[in-house]
Amino acid sequence: MEELVSLCKRRGFIFQSSDIYGGLQGMYDYGPLGVELKNNLKAAWWRAMVYERDDVEGLDAAILTNPLTLRYSGHEDTFTDPLVDCRDCKARHRADHLEDDVCPNCGSRNLTDPRPFNLMFRTAVGPVDDGSSFAYLRPETAQAIFTNFKNVIDSTARKLPFGIAQIGKAFRNEITPRNFIFRVREFEQMELEFFVKPGEDEAWHQKWVEDRLDWWVDQGVERNALQLYNVPADELAHYSKATFDVMYKFPHGLEELEGIANRTDFDLGSHTKAQAEFGLHAKVMENRDSNTKLAIRDVEANEWVVPYVIEPSAGVDRGVLAVLNEAYRVEELEDGKTRTVLSFKPHLAPIKAAVLPLKKNHEGIVGKAKGIKRELQALGLGRVLYEDTGNIGKGYRRHDEVGTPICITVDFQTIEDDDTVTVRDRDTMEQKRIAVAELPDYFREVIR
Ligand code: ATP
């Protein structure tokens, strides 16, 4: 983990947030390469979830959430972790993370009984903070999918089964944030709520578990670094009938990367009950013959159905940590030296190709290299970098360390002779000459 943390800082993937003021616990900032990696991971998820299917719609909802949403979803009452205080050193811990009920800070056994600690952050809304007008920072992206359920079906005419996907920030006031970006207080989630007919939920649950495992393998995670954990009944979240956690061998141990829950009709049902209680929806719904339900019409059966929902919920930050950890390796070279490589799948690499001019002051070479950069960039496959630091060998090493799949070197032969460039492969270190005219096809092939 230390090597990864240090590489992430040195090369501009991830920084401690508010670093120059001593940091803010449980917060991290993504640097120039980190933002690319994270965006690429999110884009891969969106492609798989929305574009490559025809039964999922997207959503991007507000982070600040009406407290009623989180009251009726059960989060105000139950979204808690067990908190204990050490009476000797005053440190606070999550009871279920303690080993043998011993304070990890000072070794004391003089601990308080656990008490529930609600993880939701709240903030004042509007100019006067008199405590009456507040909102929660959402602790999961899911709730806005449920509260928008009617909006989405009314605007898309969806039938079961179908899903709504969302990627965005979530906030949890974790008692003890730790293990780099694994457990933080501000993070991102990629969540799909997949609505199905009651009775078909268990089969869909199985299917999603398999799909999600395959997706992580497509992101470069070894299948044998992943395990499924069938969450026992006494550990299930308040909304869940069954949950499979996708566990990954993080550098600090086997822990949850993604949770795939069968949330039943708990959320739509709870919000429906709330609507009825408040009479909030009654007016809107009175012409719709639906008993104010967040329900969908089953035309064949001629009835309203409150769907069950299967929820694959993955953490973006935990995903970034997993793909970094999988990609990281230090290789012994023949000359006794070592090289550090991030062997990302090309679609995740922050920089897809680096174009290096052999001489940085040579007009012909520089012009040619910049032209190649522009042409490859215009293909829209991700960031292509023109870089004229001069030393090609060092450039290759630097790009190995940040995971750039190919480096393209423009030299005298390119401009004076046969219009070819040297293309160097990150993983094999092989170099070959390719005609400039063939570069776009070659590049497409590598990245896709
Ligand atoms: P844990 O048991 O590790 O606290 P959880 O079961 O509470 O996680 P879920 O509520 O299932 O997590 O959230 C779905 C996903 O969101 C998790 O699988 C994880 O990838 C991510 N996630 C949850 N909490 C955090 C956090 N504090 N920091 C980073 N990612 C998180």
Side-chain angles (χ1 to χ4, degrees), residues 26 79 81 94 96-97 119 139-140 170-174 177-178 180-191 216 237 239 243 245-246 250 255-261 263 311-319:
F79 198 65
D81 277 337
R94 210 174 123 170
D96 56 335
H97 283 173
L119 300 181
E140 60 175 18
F171 301 81
R172 296 183 186 179
N173 196 5
E174 296 280 352
R178 59 183 169 185
F180 195 31
I181 52 171
F182 176 82
R183 185 174 302 286
V184 282
R185 290 183 170 137
E186 172 174 345
F187 55 99
E188 273 189 275
Q189 291 183 314
M190 308 183 278
E191 294 197 302
W216 283 112
Y239 49 73
T243 297
D245 285 344
V246 177
F250 285 99
E255 293 231 43
E256 177 180 335
L257 171 62
E258 167 163 358
I260 305 163
R263 288 182 86 128
E311 175 196 69
S313 169
V316 177
D317 311 78
R318 290 186 189 180

Side-chain angles (χ1 to χ4, degrees), residues 170-318:
F171 301 81
R172 296 183 186 179
N173 196 5
E174 296 280 352
I175 296 169
T176 41
R178 59 183 169 185
N179 295 320
F180 195 31
I181 52 171
F182 176 82
R183 185 174 302 286
V184 282
R185 290 183 170 137
E186 172 174 345
F187 55 99
E188 273 189 275
Q189 291 183 314
M190 308 183 278
E191 294 197 302
L192 172 72
E193 304 304 322
F194 197 78
F195 301 99
V196 302
K197 282 188 189 167
E200 293 178 5
D201 50 310
E202 286 174 17
W204 275 106
H205 197 186
Q206 278 303 328
K207 186 173 160 16
W208 274 112
V209 168
E210 282 153 31
D211 270 33
R212 295 304 302 148
L213 284 170
D214 290 347
W215 185 82
W216 283 112
V217 171
D218 288 345
Q219 310 318 306
V221 179
E222 286 279 343
R223 180 62 186 83
N224 61 18
L226 296 168
Q227 279 181 33
L228 274 182
Y229 177 61
N230 187 350
V231 179
D234 60 341
E235 285 178 26
L236 287 175
H238 62 277
Y239 49 73
S240 171
K241 163 177 161 185
T243 297
F244 289 98
D245 285 344
V246 177
M247 311 292 280
Y248 169 71
K249 287 181 195 153
F250 285 99
H252 61 279
L254 187 71
E255 293 231 43
E256 177 180 335
L257 171 62
E258 167 163 358
I260 305 163
N262 181 343
R263 288 182 86 128
T264 68
D265 57 359
F266 178 87
D267 299 273
L268 291 179
S270 306
H271 292 305
T272 296
K273 222 170 84 202
Q275 303 303 298
E277 251 172 53
F278 275 87
L280 289 177
H281 236 50
K283 279 205 172 54
V284 186
M285 306 297 288
E286 69 198 3
N287 299 326
R288 286 199 204 160
D289 171 33
S290 77
N291 303 323
T292 76
K293 280 184 172 177
L294 294 181
I296 190 165
R297 191 87 189 149
D298 181 342
V299 182
E300 282 158 32
N302 195 25
E303 62 184 13
W304 288 92
V305 179
V306 181
Y308 268 40
V309 64
I310 306 302
E311 175 196 69
S313 169
V316 177
D317 311 78
R318 290 186 189 180

